[in-house]
Amino acid sequence: MNYIKAFAPATVANVACGFDIFGFALDEPGDTVELRKREEPGVVIKDIIGDDGRLPREPEKNAVGVVIIKYLEHIGSTQGIEITLHKNMPLGSGMGSSSASSVVGVFAINELMGRPLTQEQLLPFAMEGERIACGAAHADNVGPSLLGGFVVIRSYAPLDVFKIKVPDELYCTLVHPDIEVNTKDARYILRNEVSLKNTISQMGNVAGLIAGLMQEDYNLVSRSMVDVIIEPVRSILIPEFDEVKQAALDSGALGCSISGAGPSMFALSKGRQNAERVALAMCEAFGKVGITTKSYVSQINQSGPKILSIGH
Ligand code: HSE
C-alpha cells in the first residue's frame, strides 16, 4: 500500500459537567486526510483544503505533520510521507476540529505502515497534535475521535481512558454559530481555583451523568447535565447563550451546554425527531440576533476513524 485516504469524526468534549474528562464522537462532520509514500525521506504537506490558508504548512508546526513525524520517529521509520488534509469544519468551532485532523493523521499513517500499533497506543500521538493546536494536550476530543463512543479520561498521568455504553436512542444536536472562539483563550479565562461547594455539585453531576447513560435513565442524564464551574465563565463568549440553551430545553432536550471550548453548543435528546426539533429551536434562537448557524444531528458514533480508500 502506498496511498490511503481516511476520515476521523468531530467530537463534543466536556459534555456539560466533565471538563477535560468526557467526550463523544459524532457521525459527521469530520476531517479527511490523504497520505502518500514518497521515495525521499521526510514529511511534507502537499496541500490543506478548506482552512482558507490559515493552518501552518510547515509540518513541524502543523498538528497533523507533528503527529506523523512523532509516530514515524517512535516506530523508527524514515519513510517519506506527503500529506493532503481536507478540513471539513471550521477552526475554533468547538467541534474538535484540530483533534479530528490529529486523529485522522495518526490513524492513517498507522494503517499505511501496516498497523504496528493498536488504536489505544495511537492516543498519545494524537494528544501531541492537540498540544500544537491549542497549547494543552487534553484528550477529551482526540480520545472519542480515535476510539469512537463516549469516552472518559479517568487520569492523564498515567493516561487512563475508557469507554462507556450509551443508550441507542441518545441523539446529539450540535449547532455551530458563525463566530470563532480560540481554544487557548477559552482555557486562559478559566479560574484555577474551584470552591468546595462547586466541586461537590460537579462531582455529583459527573457521577449522575455516567450512571444515567449506563442505566439508560434519561431523567438522571437530564438532571446531571449541569456545569457549575466552566459554563458560567465561558458562556460570556457566546452571544445569546442563555436564550439558545432555554430554546433547546423548551423544545424537549435533556440538556444543553457548550461543545468543547465553544462557540458551538450541543444538546442531548431521546430520539432523532426530538433532536431535530431541538436543532431548529437552537438555530432560530441564534437567528433572532442575526447569527447564522449550521446544525448536525447524530447518534453517538461508536466506530471512530475509518479508511475511505487505499491504493498503490
Ligand atoms: N476540554 C477542552 C476544553 C476541549 O474545554 O478546553 C476543547 O475543545
Side-chain angles (χ1 to χ4, degrees), residues 10-260:
T11 41
V12 169
N14 301 340
V15 200
C17 51
F19 178 70
D20 275 2
I21 63 166
F22 291 165
F24 61 80
L26 300 169
D27 287 334
E28 55 140 11
D31 282 352
T32 304
V33 80
E34 293 176 81
L35 303 184
R36 192 175 289 284
K37 287 184 180 166
R38 305 180 338 129
E39 296 284 320
E40 321 77 56
V43 172
V44 294
I45 296 181
K46 183 180 169 211
D47 203 0
I48 303 178
I49 298 137
D51 71 328
D52 294 327
R54 292 175 55 194
L55 291 174
R57 266 53 182 172
E58 302 94 318
E60 304 76 21
K61 292 187 186 157
N62 176 290
V64 186
V66 166
V67 161
I68 292 176
I69 292 168
K70 289 203 183 280
Y71 170 92
L72 289 171
E73 271 169 19
H74 176 83
I75 64 162
S77 169
T78 54
Q79 176 64 55
I81 298 288
E82 179 187 272
I83 306 170
T84 305
L85 176 65
H86 301 259
K87 291 295 305 170
N88 299 321
M89 52 186 138
L91 311 178
S93 61
M95 306 195 292
S97 175
S98 57
S99 314
S101 296
S102 301
V103 166
V104 78
V106 75
F107 169 76
I109 188 71
N110 192 46
E111 294 295 319
L112 196 61
M113 300 308 289
R115 206 182 299 160
L117 301 189
T118 64
Q119 206 91 332
E120 285 74 16
Q121 287 172 327
L122 300 180
L123 189 54
F125 299 98
M127 287 170 70
E128 284 309 310
E130 281 297 62
R131 196 192 303 281
I132 292 289
C134 77
H138 57 89
D140 51 342
N141 289 112
V142 284
S145 185
L146 181 66
L147 305 173
F150 190 111
V151 167
V152 177
I153 323 298
R154 191 205 59 81
S155 155
Y156 276 84
L159 192 59
D160 184 356
V161 172
F162 63 91
K163 269 168 80 162
I164 63 154
K165 205 181 146 354
V166 296
D168 291 341
E169 273 303 287
L170 189 71
Y171 278 79
C172 173
T173 304
L174 182 65
V175 174
H176 174 246
D178 193 15
I179 46 178
E180 193 173 313
V181 169
N182 182 291
T183 302
K184 229 182 238 176
D185 299 340
R187 293 183 78 86
Y188 182 75
I189 61 168
L190 299 176
R191 286 185 279 268
N192 272 322
E193 308 289 326
V194 177
S195 71
L196 184 58
K197 183 167 167 269
N198 280 348
T199 306
I200 293 166
S201 300
Q202 202 85 350
M203 287 196 297
N205 287 320
V206 162
L209 183 56
I210 294 299
L213 290 169
M214 293 181 72
Q215 295 168 1
E216 304 207 7
D217 181 340
Y218 289 96
N219 199 292
L220 180 55
V221 168
S222 179
R223 299 199 306 280
S224 307
M225 284 182 68
V226 179
D227 172 10
V228 296
I229 297 175
I230 307 295
E231 186 184 291
V233 181
R234 280 187 172 169
S235 55
I236 54 166
L237 301 174
I238 306 173
E240 296 303 289
F241 176 84
D242 291 336
E243 289 75 8
V244 175
K245 179 170 174 168
Q246 197 55 50
L249 298 175
D250 289 347
S251 50
L254 300 167
C256 173
S257 186
I258 304 169
S259 175

